[in-house]
Amino acid sequence: MLFLWVSPVILFLVLMASRAVAAVPAAAFSLTLAIVVAVGFGPIDIAPSEIARIVLAGAWVALPAVLVILTGLYFTQVLDTAGSRPAQSPATALPARHLGTICLFLGPFVETATGFGVGYVVAIGAVLAAGIAPATALALAAFSQMLVPWGALGIGTQISAAIIGMPVEMLGWRIALITAPMLWLTLLVYWRIVRHAGIEVDAARKREDAGSVLALSLLLVATNVLLPIELAGLLAIGPVLLFRLWRQEGAFLFSAPAIRRAAPYLILIVLLAVTKLSPGIRALLATPAFTPGQGAPDFAPLASPANVLVLAAILGCFAHGRWAALHGAIPGALAKGTRASILTILLVALACVIVRSGIAQAVADALRSGMGDHAALVVPVLGSIGGYLTGSNTGAGSLAMPVAESVASGAVLPWIAGAAIMAGSVFTAFSPVRFAMGQAIARASAQDSRIALYLLLPFALCASSIAILAVFLAQRLLA
């Protein structure tokens, strides 16, 4: 019976690993199987009408993410049309010594603001412009994904928190603490790959990179303690990126062309700060709020970050005087975002069915009986698999959170969930989705992708080891 209960997840993993079908049909097949298993063979009796309500509740949970997906891509398309997004530059304008800024800070900043691999696109274009070979460029661009828990204004992490019924504030600072040591180990891997590219990393550059990562680590924890998750990632990496750019560009950083290019991102940060930090405005935007019941959280449309993304795009166009970009960006955003939106709805609905039908609890009981306290160590592995196969933080959470909620509770649960989110987010960097995108941009071969994955193997091992160690320590110290 245990195999039957986990068969929807196994089906999704097999279909994605085999690449027999795309992610959306794989999720649809898995959701259908989960409904059949829950109604006909689940551990608790549940009526078809109840399952239908659970699926609708799952779609409701996914709604905030869908809105941010579409508006985040709209924001990106507007910047592309208006000429404001960081883009591939001529090789002569991008010295190789700036690789650290591009890979470790610029790429993650753009990913935090917009999500969905946009930071990866920016990073790989800039790395290629520096004259780096395709295989190494694919590997270096992957570091743009190291802050994916805060990507797209943290919407994937918010979805994971909603699945386990936990305020996202309880997860943010814990994920930051787990991420901090990963950043340090990531820096060692980054230097190794840069040396593989034939670029010497001297002591001065190592000191600058190490100081920047130290500042980022401290700011990441502090902002997640003090600020909403939508702002935490941006205000952690933004100052570090600004300082490094100032060191490299000098007075040009504050010139009119540079400020115009940065205007949409500055506007986005200011609008988020106003809407999230002002108690009066936050209370005003919190109503009206709606919920379909079934344990689904309230959703206040006026408080959605989607509104901020659209407003930032409009004001950014005003700064550039290119109003046609507002209309022209809509078809591109819909074309790129529809599949990701449908996949998000299906995966979150799948997670809700697994949790509300009692399947997750039954599987967790079986894991505990077979593995004892070590059952929780499976959760980061599930997150990593989900992140790798879907290229999505939401996908990682949808696979890992149902089991996390069932194998842990109390003070241990947010640490286990945070470890799984961190691991799953890092593994999105290695996903076939990201690498297919990178191969197309770099005109790389399959052999180039295999070399890049080999170079990134220590990055994956670092993330997995730290996530598993965090779960182990949480169980020993807090259980």
Side-chain angles (χ1 to χ4, degrees):
M1 191 62 74
L2 178 62
F3 178 80
L4 185 61
W5 289 338
V6 299
S7 60
V9 175
I10 292 175
L11 175 63
F12 180 73
L13 297 178
V14 169
L15 290 175
M16 289 299 297
S18 67
R19 303 188 190 182
V21 298
V24 170
F29 293 149
S30 300
L31 175 59
T32 302
L33 180 59
I35 292 171
V36 172
V37 170
V39 173
F41 309 96
I44 62 175
D45 291 332
I46 190 164
S49 59
E50 180 68 12
I51 281 288
R53 286 192 288 269
I54 291 172
V55 170
L56 290 175
W60 180 265
V61 171
L63 177 61
V66 168
L67 292 176
V68 173
I69 287 171
L70 295 174
T71 54
L73 289 170
Y74 175 73
F75 178 78
T76 303
Q77 291 289 118
V78 169
L79 298 195
D80 281 342
T81 306
S84 184
R85 184 159 68 88
Q88 182 170 332
S89 305
T92 55
L94 188 65
R97 67 178 180 274
H98 293 174
L99 280 177
T101 300
I102 295 164
C103 299
L104 302 176
F105 302 99
L106 177 61
F109 176 82
V110 176
E111 189 68 23
T112 300
T114 60
F116 313 106
V118 177
Y120 184 89
V121 172
V122 168
I124 197 167
V127 170
L128 288 168
I132 304 297
T136 311
L138 288 172
L140 288 172
F143 293 105
S144 66
Q145 306 296 288
M146 64 187 188
L147 295 186
V148 163
W150 296 271
L153 308 182
I155 195 64
T157 299
Q158 294 182 58
I159 291 295
S160 293
I163 290 173
I164 59 176
M166 178 176 291
V168 72
E169 293 78 12
M170 293 185 65
L171 291 179
W173 65 269
R174 289 175 170 87
I175 299 173
L177 281 174
I178 297 169
T179 299
M182 186 273 294
L183 294 176
W184 284 96
L185 294 177
T186 294
L187 188 58
L188 299 177
V189 179
Y190 164 76
W191 286 335
R192 174 176 173 269
I193 296 176
V194 170
R195 284 195 300 271
H196 179 271
I199 301 171
E200 184 61 33
V201 185
D202 58 28
R205 195 175 308 159
K206 285 184 177 180
R207 285 194 297 271
E208 182 177 7
D209 289 345
S212 299
V213 168
L214 174 61
L216 174 59
S217 302
L218 296 174
L219 285 170
L220 198 60
V221 175
T223 54
N224 277 276
V225 169
L226 299 172
L227 300 171
I229 193 169
E230 296 93 340
L231 271 169
L234 285 173
L235 290 184
I237 196 168
V240 183
L241 173 62
L242 186 64
F243 178 76
R244 286 183 68 104
L245 290 174
W246 172 74
R247 293 260 299 182
Q248 294 170 187
E249 305 293 340
F252 178 76
L253 182 64
F254 303 102
S255 65
I259 292 174
R260 272 198 305 272
R261 182 175 288 275
Y265 296 101
L266 298 174
I267 292 168
L268 178 63
I269 292 172
V270 170
L271 290 175
L272 284 170
V274 169
T275 56
K276 297 297 180 182
L277 300 182
S278 170
I281 294 177
R282 193 168 65 243
L284 181 66
L285 298 178
T287 53
F290 308 95
T291 177
Q294 295 295 316
D298 289 346
F299 173 58
L302 296 179
S304 172
N307 300 313
V308 175
L309 284 162
V310 173
L311 187 54
I314 293 171
L315 295 177
C317 277
F318 176 78
H320 285 266
R322 298 185 179 179
W323 297 103
L326 294 174
H327 178 265
I330 294 175
L334 290 175
K336 293 180 179 179
T338 299
R339 183 166 54 183
S341 300
I342 295 172
L343 177 62
T344 298
I345 292 171
L346 292 172
L347 288 174
V348 176
L350 172 64
C352 287
V353 169
I354 290 173
V355 170
R356 306 285 176 82
S357 66
I359 290 176
Q361 185 62 56
V363 170
D365 291 342
L367 286 173
R368 276 195 295 265
S369 65
M371 300 178 64
D373 292 340
H374 300 302
L377 299 177
V378 174
V379 179
V381 176
L382 286 175
S384 300
I385 293 171
Y388 171 76
L389 291 177
T390 66
S392 162
N393 185 21
T394 301
S398 297
L399 287 181
M401 292 305 104
V403 177
E405 186 181 28
S406 300
V407 299
S409 60
V412 178
L413 176 58
W415 288 103
I416 293 176
I421 291 169
M422 186 278 284
S425 297
V426 169
F427 270 71
T428 64
F430 321 127
S431 76
V433 177
R434 290 288 180 274
F435 266 71
M437 184 188 305
Q439 278 184 266
I441 295 171
R443 298 180 181 177
S445 65
Q447 178 66 16
D448 289 328
S449 292
R450 285 191 288 270
I451 293 172
L453 285 172
Y454 172 76
L455 292 172
L456 289 168
L457 184 60
F459 186 20
L461 292 175
C462 288
S464 300
S465 300
I466 290 171
I468 291 172
L469 179 61
V471 172
F472 178 81
L473 290 176
Q475 288 186 299
R476 289 294 175 271
L477 299 176
L478 300 175

